[in-house]
Amino acid sequence: MSAGVDTVHMLPSIVADPAVTTALAADLTSAGFTVDRLDSLWGAEAAASLHRGSRVAALRALAARETTPLGTLATLFVLGLPVAGAEAVAAFPTAGLDAVIAAGLLRSEGEGDGNAADALVRPTVDLRPYAFVDDLGAGSWWIVSDLGELALGHAISEEHVLGIGGATTTLSGLQVPVPVERVLDLGTGCGIQAMHARRFADRVVATDISRRALDIARFNAQLNGIDGIDFRFGSLFEPVAGERFDRIVSNPPFVITPRREGVPSYEYRDGGMVGDALVETVLRGLSEHLEPGGTAQLLGNWEYHWGVDGLDRVRAWFADTDLDVWVIERERQDPTSYAETWIRDGGTKPGTAEYDALMGAWLDDFADRRVTGVGFGYVVVRRALPGGPSALRRFERVPETLGSNPAGLGATVARVLDAAAWLAAHDDAALAAAHLAVAGDVTEERYYWPGNDDPTVMTLVQGGGLGRRVDADTALAAFVGACDGDLSVAAIIGALAQITGVDEQALAADLLPAARDLVLDGMLLPTS
C-alpha cells in the first residue's frame, strides 16, 4: 500500500538491535525521561496545551531553561522538532547518535563532512514515556510510534503506527488481571497491549497486517526489556490458525471507512472490509481460538441500520455460539459526527476541499447502506468449560461515567464473569439458601419531599466498577440493607414479609430476580 507521501516524508525502517535498545534505555533513564519529569519540565498548563494540540507553551518553557539531555529528548520526540547535532550527541552518551540514527529514530540534515554532530537532527518517530498502574502495581515504559500531524505538518501516512491514546488505556484497563499461559494480541499496532498482556501471561502472540507496526512493536518490547512475545505477520486469525489461547485482546482496525477511490485507508484503523464486517469477523472467530474457560476483551464499532438496533446486530453474531457474552455500548454517534471524527483523526482539516470530498464519500456510503448511527463499546467473551452452561448474554448501554477508576475495569470484568458462573450454578432455591453481603463500595441515596419522613426516591450507588445506579423501592432497599452475610436470602425475605404483611412468595418473586441483577453488577457478593 502506498503511503501517499513524497520521499522526504517516507517512513523510516525501525531496526530493533538489542545492543542499541539496551544502550538507549540507559540514556533515557539517565536523562530522567519520565512522565513526571516531563510535566515538571514545562509545567501542567503547557502539558495540557500540548495535549490539545499546541506546543507553543511547552516551547516557551523550554526556551527559558538551560539545555539538558531531558530537554533535548523532549524537543525531539515529544514536540517533534529538530535540535542541533551537538545537543543530540549529548543526549545519547551511551547509545551514540549514529546508532540512534541507524535504528531509524532520527535523521540528520546538512552533515557536510558526514559528522552528525555538525548537522541539524530531526526526529522520525514519536518516543515518549508512559506510566500505568495495574494489579501488579505501578509501571512505566517508553513507547515508540509514528509522528502525528502536529509534528509532521501534514496529514499522516496510511502506514502510520499509532501510539498511546484513549482506546489504548481503555483496552489495557479492560484486560483481566488473572495469570494465564498464552495470550493473543490481535492487531498489536505499537505493541502496547501485548506488553500489558505479558505482565499476566507466560507467553504472548502479537499479530498485525503491518510489517512496520510489528517492527515498532518489537522495538518497544526490546527497549523495555520485555521478552516472551512472538510477533507474527498476517491478517486476523490467519497467523494463529489452529491455535487456542487462554485470553484474546484486540483493538482491531474497526473504523468504518468508505471503500471508495480517493478515501485513504489507514492500516492502524481500517480493516479493509465494508461497514462493521471486520468486527463481526473477529467476534465470530473467537470461539475456535479460545481455550475452554478462556476469555476475550475487545473494542469495536457496530452499525445501526434503518429499523435495526445496533446491539441486536451484535447479538445475532453470537447466536450460534456457546460463549458467555457481555457487550457494553459506551457511545453512539450519528453518521455526520462519526465521519467528522475519523476524517480529522487522519489529519485532514475542516474547510479544505479534501475534507469536503471525504465528508461526501462518508455520508454517501452511510446513506447507500441505510446506516443511521454507529455504536462504540467493549466486548467481553468467555468460552464455557466442558459441561458448563453459557450463563451470560448481556447487551447494554452504560452512561458515560465509569465509576471511580475507568482505567481499571479488568478486575470488574473478572468479577462479573465469576458472578455469572456462580449465578448459573444457583437456581432460585439455591439462591434463596445463599448468604449475600453488600459490597464495600455501595452506598444509598435518599430523597425526601420537604416535611415528609418517608423517602420519595431511593438509589443504590456503586462507587467502583461501572458506577451503576439502581433505583430501589422500599422492599429492595430493606432487603439490601439486611444483606450482611449472616442471614440467608430466604430468611431475609421471610422476615420482610412478616414485618410488612406482604405475601412471602410474591415478595420472593420480586426480590430474587433483583438479587440476581445486583450480584451480577457486583453490588451484592456471595459469602457462601
Side-chain angles (χ1 to χ4, degrees), residues 50 59 110 145 189 279 302 359 428 430 508 527:
L50 188 60
L59 279 170
S145 61
V279 174
W302 38 86
M359 277 295 296
D428 280 352
T527 62

Short mmCIF file of all heavy atoms in Angstrom, two decimals, residues 50 59 110 145 189 279 302 359 428 430 508 527:
data_model
loop_
_atom_site.label_atom_id
_atom_site.label_comp_id
_atom_site.label_asym_id
_atom_site.label_seq_id
_atom_site.Cartn_x
_atom_site.Cartn_y
_atom_site.Cartn_z
N LEU A 50 -0.36 21.10 25.24
CA LEU A 50 0.24 20.15 24.31
C LEU A 50 -0.73 19.02 23.99
O LEU A 50 -0.85 18.59 22.84
CB LEU A 50 1.53 19.59 24.91
CG LEU A 50 2.41 18.72 24.02
CD1 LEU A 50 2.87 19.49 22.79
CD2 LEU A 50 3.61 18.21 24.81
N LEU A 59 7.23 25.05 24.28
CA LEU A 59 8.45 25.61 23.69
C LEU A 59 8.93 26.82 24.48
O LEU A 59 10.13 27.00 24.70
CB LEU A 59 8.18 26.00 22.24
CG LEU A 59 8.24 24.87 21.21
CD1 LEU A 59 7.73 25.34 19.87
CD2 LEU A 59 9.67 24.36 21.09
N GLY A 110 22.15 18.14 6.36
CA GLY A 110 23.25 19.06 6.10
C GLY A 110 24.52 18.69 6.82
O GLY A 110 25.14 19.51 7.47
N SER A 145 6.22 5.35 18.46
CA SER A 145 5.13 5.29 17.47
C SER A 145 5.50 6.28 16.37
O SER A 145 6.58 6.88 16.40
CB SER A 145 3.79 5.63 18.11
OG SER A 145 3.79 6.96 18.63
N GLY A 189 -0.43 -3.29 16.66
CA GLY A 189 -0.03 -1.90 16.50
C GLY A 189 1.36 -1.65 17.05
O GLY A 189 2.32 -2.35 16.71
N VAL A 279 -15.31 -6.22 12.49
CA VAL A 279 -15.64 -6.53 13.88
C VAL A 279 -16.45 -7.82 13.95
O VAL A 279 -16.21 -8.68 14.80
CB VAL A 279 -16.40 -5.36 14.53
CG1 VAL A 279 -16.88 -5.73 15.92
CG2 VAL A 279 -15.50 -4.13 14.60
N TRP A 302 -20.12 -0.89 15.87
CA TRP A 302 -21.19 -1.63 15.19
C TRP A 302 -22.21 -0.63 14.65
O TRP A 302 -22.48 0.40 15.24
CB TRP A 302 -21.85 -2.65 16.11
CG TRP A 302 -22.02 -2.17 17.52
CD1 TRP A 302 -23.03 -1.42 18.05
CD2 TRP A 302 -21.10 -2.42 18.59
NE1 TRP A 302 -22.81 -1.19 19.38
CE2 TRP A 302 -21.65 -1.79 19.74
CE3 TRP A 302 -19.89 -3.12 18.71
CZ2 TRP A 302 -21.00 -1.84 20.98
CZ3 TRP A 302 -19.26 -3.16 19.94
CH2 TRP A 302 -19.82 -2.53 21.06
N MET A 359 -15.97 14.00 3.45
CA MET A 359 -17.29 14.02 4.10
C MET A 359 -18.36 13.51 3.14
O MET A 359 -19.23 12.71 3.53
CB MET A 359 -17.63 15.44 4.55
CG MET A 359 -17.04 15.84 5.88
SD MET A 359 -17.68 14.88 7.29
CE MET A 359 -19.42 15.35 7.27
N ASP A 428 -33.19 -20.73 41.71
CA ASP A 428 -33.83 -19.87 42.70
C ASP A 428 -33.78 -20.48 44.10
O ASP A 428 -33.62 -19.75 45.10
CB ASP A 428 -35.28 -19.59 42.30
CG ASP A 428 -35.37 -18.50 41.24
OD1 ASP A 428 -34.33 -17.88 40.93
OD2 ASP A 428 -36.48 -18.29 40.69
N ALA A 430 -31.43 -22.47 45.31
CA ALA A 430 -30.06 -22.34 45.81
C ALA A 430 -29.74 -20.89 46.15
O ALA A 430 -29.04 -20.61 47.13
CB ALA A 430 -29.07 -22.86 44.78
N ALA A 508 -40.82 -12.84 47.25
CA ALA A 508 -39.67 -13.58 46.71
C ALA A 508 -39.62 -13.46 45.18
O ALA A 508 -38.54 -13.34 44.59
CB ALA A 508 -39.73 -15.04 47.13
N THR A 527 -21.36 -14.83 50.07
CA THR A 527 -20.41 -15.12 51.15
C THR A 527 -20.30 -16.61 51.41
O THR A 527 -19.52 -17.02 52.27
CB THR A 527 -20.83 -14.41 52.44
OG1 THR A 527 -22.11 -14.89 52.85
CG2 THR A 527 -20.89 -12.91 52.23
#
